[in-house]
């Protein structure tokens, strides 16, 4: 039976996709798992995988065309099969006629594999949630095997290299299979779950033996009630090393207890819970007394020896992996150099005080630097460029990345068209993005597309520093901003107090020469030392 291929919903905000390339043509034999096409979504260009075996009978969308989600793109079936009724919206009417023909003309093809076209279940794969993501970690499953699922329900929370994001279901049915445990990583496009009708033979979709599904025993399987019950019994006997852990090995603790334990440097694993079900509560943290290693009388004589050697192995988060990968790539590709300049901030300090009397949002010095960079980049477009191996891309738009430090690492939300934003609007934008970054609410659209980056450590008392170019594929420069410092200067033989700020521009020499970078800094200095120019 022929199957229609529809435009899948590849992100929670996607409404349509553009066919970037077809990897198969009409008449080609297709197997489940083959990449049919490359689809450009609102987040990234992603591979569209086939879940059917057969021949590509029809392609209804040309390369470069946009297709709404769920619209028909192609048809896969058996050679010579009539699929026109599927395109007209009546897929069930012709089923009785083609089936006997297929059995008579191609009996060999049906024997070696199970026909998955009639299996009423769909696989859920690890989505590509950012342009740099190669794998995701299942932070939490919000549904369990056997639960009813509706389109739009949140199945799980996925930790990517940028943030922890929700995985939404796009099918109605029962959660039949979970293939990746919480805390485990899965490659992009790898199967992580199956949703369908109860009793559906989803093993054929997975292409694996039934044994593979034993750890996630499904109540829908009539032939495996014993395996299901034994798995449920085995879990609590193997997992609960401590009374505060549930059957998944997760330590149960109240939010307040977690916060207090973190502040006091106490590991939850060292606590015993007195709350309901062994949950750790505030009193358990308050009353906790760390175990002190016993000191024998003989060791007490050696007064100079004290303390216990210890260390902690910290697993890499997806964000830390991405930071390491990106910076290593930058160091191995970009040919960087640095330019440092000192800027007098006396007039900027005065202007900021006046502007904040009228602005609905408090304007920071960092906002003024971002605005000055936006204006300077329009005057020096060569700095607003990037290396593309066989050419240089010079951007007409100005999207400035703003480095934000969070507990898990560093994220760079992007202020789009920064040169066009009034200072008060820019200030509101930076505060909104900064809040999202610290609360883990950033979406892919918030961190993609930067053409230049600003990193500011002035609030930590750092006078000057150099940054590594964030993403050499998108940008060629990053500006490091130090703190404002009051110093004593000399003019016409007279000493006077003044406030200065040091900035350092790291440049990719493949794109930006020393004179080009210096000219940009001269313009930046002029704008900050005469800040009224930012308003015109």
């Amino acid at each position: 039976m022929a199957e229609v291929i529809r435009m899948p919903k590849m992100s929670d905000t996607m409404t349509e996709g553009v066919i970037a390339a077809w990897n198969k043509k009409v008449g080609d034999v297709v197997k489940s798992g083959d990449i049919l096409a490359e689809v450009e979504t609102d987040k990234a260009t992603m591979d569209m995988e086939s879940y059917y075996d057969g021949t590509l009978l029809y392609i209804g969308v040309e390369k470069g065309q946009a297709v709404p989600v769920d619209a028909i793109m192609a048809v896969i079936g058996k050679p010579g099969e009539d699929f026109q009724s599927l395109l007209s919206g009546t897929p069930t009417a012709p089923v009785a006629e083609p089936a006997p023909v297929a059995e008579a003309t191609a009996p060999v093809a049906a024997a070696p594999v199970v026909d998955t076209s009639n299996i009423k279940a769909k696989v859920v794969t690890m989505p590509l949630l950012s342009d740099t993501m190669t794998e995701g970690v299942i932070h939490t499953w919000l549904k369990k095997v056997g639960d009813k699922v509706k389109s739009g329900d949140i199945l799980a929370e996925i930790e990517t290299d940028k943030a922890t994001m929700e995985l939404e279901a796009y099918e109605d049915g029962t959660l039949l299979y979970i293939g990746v445990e919480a805390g485990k990583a899965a490659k992009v496009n790898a199967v992580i779950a199956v949703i369908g009708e109860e009793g559906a033979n989803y093993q054929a979709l997975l292409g694996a033996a039934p044994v593979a599904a034993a750890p996630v025993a499904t109540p829908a399987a009539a032939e495996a009630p014993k395996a299901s019950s034994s798995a449920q019994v085995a879990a609590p006997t193997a997992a609960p090393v401590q009374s505060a852990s549930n059957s998944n090995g997760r330590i149960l603790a109240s939010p307040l207890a977690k916060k207090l334990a973190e502040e006091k440097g106490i590991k939850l694993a060292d606590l015993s819970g007195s709350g309901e079900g062994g949950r750790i509560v505030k009193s358990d943290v308050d009353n906790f007394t760390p175990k002190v290693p016993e000191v024998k009388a003989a060791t007490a004589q050696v007064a100079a020896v004290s303390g216990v050697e210890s260390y902690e192995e910290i697993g890499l988060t997806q964000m830390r992996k991405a930071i390491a990968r990106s910076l290593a790539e930058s160091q191995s590709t970009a040919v960087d150099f640095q330019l440092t300049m000192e800027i007098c901030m006396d007039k900027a300090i005065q202007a900021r005080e006046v502007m904040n009397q009228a602005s609905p949002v408090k304007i920071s010095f960092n906002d003024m630097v971002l605005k000055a960079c936006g204006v300077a980049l329009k005057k020096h477009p060569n700095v607003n460029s990037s290396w593309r191996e066989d050419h240089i891309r010079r951007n007409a738009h100005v999207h400035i990345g703003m480095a934000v430090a969070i507990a898990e690492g560093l994220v760079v939300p992007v202020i789009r068209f920064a040169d066009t934003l009034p200072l008060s609007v820019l200030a509101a934008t930076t505060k909104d993005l900064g809040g999202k970054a610290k609360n883990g609410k950033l979406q892919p659209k918030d961190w993609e597309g930067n053409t230049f980056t600003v990193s500011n450590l002035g609030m930590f008392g750092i006078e000057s520093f150099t940054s590594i170019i964030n993403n050499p594929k998108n940008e060629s420069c990053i500006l490091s901003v130090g703190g404002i410092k009051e110093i004593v200067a000399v003019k016409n033989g007279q000493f006077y107090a003044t406030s200065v700020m040091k900035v350092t521009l790291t440049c990719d020499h493949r794109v930006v020469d020393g004179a080009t970078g210096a000219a940009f800094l001269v313009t930046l200095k002029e704008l900050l030392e005469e800040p009224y120019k930012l308003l015109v």
Side-chain angles (χ1 to χ4, degrees):
M1 173 180 153
E3 295 285 349
V4 297
I5 307 299
R6 300 179 182 273
M7 174 60 72
K9 188 171 184 180
M10 295 177 168
S11 76
D12 51 353
T13 59
M14 177 180 171
T15 58
E16 65 177 15
V18 175
I19 302 298
W22 279 104
N23 295 336
K24 299 288 185 180
K25 62 182 183 294
V26 172
D28 283 356
V29 175
V30 178
K31 293 183 178 180
S32 177
D34 285 356
I35 304 302
L36 290 178
E38 295 174 9
V39 177
E40 182 181 345
T41 73
D42 57 340
K43 304 290 177 64
T45 299
M46 305 169 66
D47 291 335
M48 187 183 75
E49 186 177 338
S50 172
Y51 299 124
Y52 306 104
D53 295 337
T55 299
L56 188 57
L57 303 177
Y58 167 81
I59 290 178
V61 185
E62 296 180 1
K63 175 182 175 182
Q65 286 187 338
V67 190
V69 169
D70 289 333
I72 295 176
M73 302 168 55
V75 176
I76 293 177
K78 294 181 175 128
E81 188 173 357
D82 181 12
F83 57 85
Q84 294 300 327
S85 59
L86 297 178
L87 302 180
S88 62
T90 56
T92 56
V95 171
E97 293 181 9
V101 177
E103 291 175 3
T105 57
V108 180
V113 293
V114 177
D115 182 6
T116 62
S117 61
N118 293 321
I119 298 176
K120 296 183 179 180
K122 297 287 185 181
V123 296
V124 179
T125 59
M126 176 63 71
L128 182 68
L129 299 173
S130 78
D131 54 349
T132 58
M133 176 180 171
T134 58
E135 65 178 13
V137 172
I138 303 297
H139 184 271
T140 307
W141 280 104
L142 303 180
K143 300 286 185 180
K144 62 182 183 295
V145 172
D147 283 356
K148 298 294 183 183
V149 177
K150 293 184 178 180
S151 177
D153 286 354
I154 305 303
L155 292 177
E157 294 177 348
I158 296 179
E159 182 186 346
T160 74
D161 54 349
K162 306 284 188 179
T164 298
M165 305 176 68
E166 295 176 340
L167 174 66
E168 185 177 340
Y170 301 123
E171 305 289 341
D172 295 339
T174 300
L175 185 57
L176 303 177
Y177 167 80
I178 290 177
V180 182
E181 298 176 1
K184 297 293 182 65
K187 298 291 185 182
V188 169
N189 292 330
V191 176
I192 58 176
V194 177
I195 295 174
E197 291 186 0
E198 292 187 13
N201 181 20
Y202 63 84
Q203 293 293 346
L205 295 178
L206 301 176
V211 180
V216 285
T218 167
E223 70 277 9
K226 294 182 179 179
S228 175
S229 60
S230 64
Q232 294 172 358
V233 172
T237 58
V241 179
Q242 303 165 23
S243 60
S245 297
N246 63 11
S247 60
N248 294 323
R250 182 179 180 184
I251 298 177
L252 303 177
S254 70
L256 179 57
K258 290 180 180 179
K259 183 177 180 182
L260 289 175
E262 182 179 357
E263 291 175 351
K264 294 184 177 184
I266 300 174
K267 295 181 180 179
L268 292 176
D270 295 337
L271 296 171
S272 296
S274 61
E276 182 180 354
R279 181 181 295 274
I280 297 170
V281 296
K282 178 177 180 294
S283 59
D284 298 324
V285 181
D286 292 337
N287 299 329
F288 175 71
T289 303
K291 294 181 180 180
V292 180
E294 295 183 3
V295 181
K296 296 181 180 179
T299 62
Q301 299 174 359
V302 186
V305 178
S306 62
V308 177
E309 290 185 357
S310 64
Y311 60 87
E312 180 182 3
E313 300 285 359
I314 301 175
L316 295 177
T317 63
Q318 294 299 100
M319 182 178 293
R320 182 54 60 184
K321 289 179 183 178
I323 291 172
R325 186 169 58 247
S326 176
L327 296 183
E329 180 184 2
S330 177
Q331 290 290 276
S332 64
T333 57
V335 184
D336 58 0
F337 68 96
Q338 289 76 35
L339 299 168
T340 300
M341 179 172 281
E342 194 172 79
I343 300 174
C344 177
M345 296 294 288
D346 292 341
K347 292 183 179 180
I349 293 172
Q350 296 171 3
R352 176 173 174 266
E353 292 178 358
V354 175
M355 287 187 291
N356 276 333
Q357 293 175 6
S359 175
V361 181
K362 186 176 180 181
I363 298 170
S364 68
F365 289 113
N366 194 54
D367 295 329
M368 297 178 72
V369 171
L370 289 167
K371 175 65 176 179
C373 286
V375 176
L377 287 169
K378 291 297 286 187
K379 293 184 178 181
H380 302 277
N382 288 337
V383 178
N384 197 40
S385 305
S386 61
W387 180 262
R388 296 300 174 107
E389 298 303 331
D390 59 350
H391 66 280
I392 291 174
R393 172 175 291 182
R394 187 164 64 185
N395 299 294
H397 59 278
V398 175
H399 293 347
I400 299 181
M402 174 184 67
V404 177
I406 59 176
E408 294 81 7
L410 188 72
V411 292
V412 186
V414 178
I415 303 154
R416 301 185 182 281
F417 307 105
D419 59 307
T420 66
L421 301 179
L423 264 170
S424 58
V425 177
L426 189 147
T429 303
T430 60
K431 286 174 176 57
D432 177 60
L433 290 173
K436 286 182 178 179
K438 294 184 184 300
N439 294 326
K441 301 296 185 181
L442 289 175
Q443 296 299 308
K445 62 182 177 61
D446 295 325
W447 64 64
E448 295 172 350
N450 52 297
T451 61
F452 185 88
T453 296
V454 172
S455 179
N456 191 338
L457 293 179
M459 67 287 295
F460 298 106
I462 302 299
E463 291 186 21
S464 65
F465 65 103
T466 59
S467 299
I468 299 173
I469 296 172
N470 179 41
N471 188 348
K473 294 180 180 178
N474 289 345
E475 63 186 16
S476 59
C477 293
I478 181 171
L479 185 73
S480 307
V481 182
I484 299 175
K485 181 180 180 180
E486 191 173 30
I487 63 170
V488 176
V490 181
K491 185 176 182 180
N492 298 327
Q494 298 295 319
F495 292 98
Y496 68 99
T498 184
S499 296
V500 298
M501 178 180 73
K502 289 183 179 180
V503 297
T504 300
L505 184 69
T506 300
C507 308
D508 186 344
H509 214 323
R510 297 175 300 175
V511 181
V512 177
D513 295 328
T516 305
F520 169 82
L521 288 180
V522 168
T523 300
L524 182 70
K525 177 181 175 73
E526 177 186 344
L527 291 168
L528 290 173
E529 291 187 347
E530 301 291 343
Y532 67 88
K533 295 181 179 180
L534 296 175
L535 307 178
V536 295

